[in-house]
């Protein structure tokens, strides 16, 4: 799995950070998403899929291969 984020679509809601803090963080300046772990280990992948699904800005993309 490879994760990517589009900061231009992020509305700084923070759901992704709440869901998977190992993978996502937020800028201290404006709250925009920061990608910490673009290649998450197997045990985090389900939570990453959930974070992508609930992101209100649809700013998280997941490539499964
Ligand atoms: S859930 Fe989406 S909109 Fe909210 S902080 Fe994360 S990437 Fe940004």
């Amino acid at each position: 799995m490879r994760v990517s984020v589009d900061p231009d679509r992020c509305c700084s809601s923070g759901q992704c950070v709440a869901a998977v803090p190992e993978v996502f963080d937020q800028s201290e300046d404006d709250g925009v998403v920061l990608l910490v772990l673009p290649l998450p280990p197997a045990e985090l992948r389900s939570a990453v899929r959930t974070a992508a699904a609930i992101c209100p800005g649809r700013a998280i993309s997941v490539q499964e291969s």
Side-chain angles (χ1 to χ4, degrees):
M1 171 186 281
R2 177 180 291 274
V3 183
S4 58
V5 296
D6 182 348
D8 291 337
R9 297 185 67 103
C10 175
C11 56
S12 307
S13 64
Q15 279 109 312
C16 59
V17 182
V20 207
E22 299 90 341
V23 174
F24 303 102
D25 198 359
Q26 285 178 278
S27 164
E28 290 187 11
D29 294 331
D30 54 14
V32 169
V33 65
L34 302 171
L35 185 58
V36 178
L37 201 58
L39 301 173
E43 64 269 23
L44 296 178
R45 290 174 191 166
S46 176
V48 169
R49 290 185 195 103
T50 298
I54 65 174
C55 171
R58 304 198 63 82
I60 300 169
S61 298
V62 176
Q63 188 178 351
E64 294 287 351
S65 57

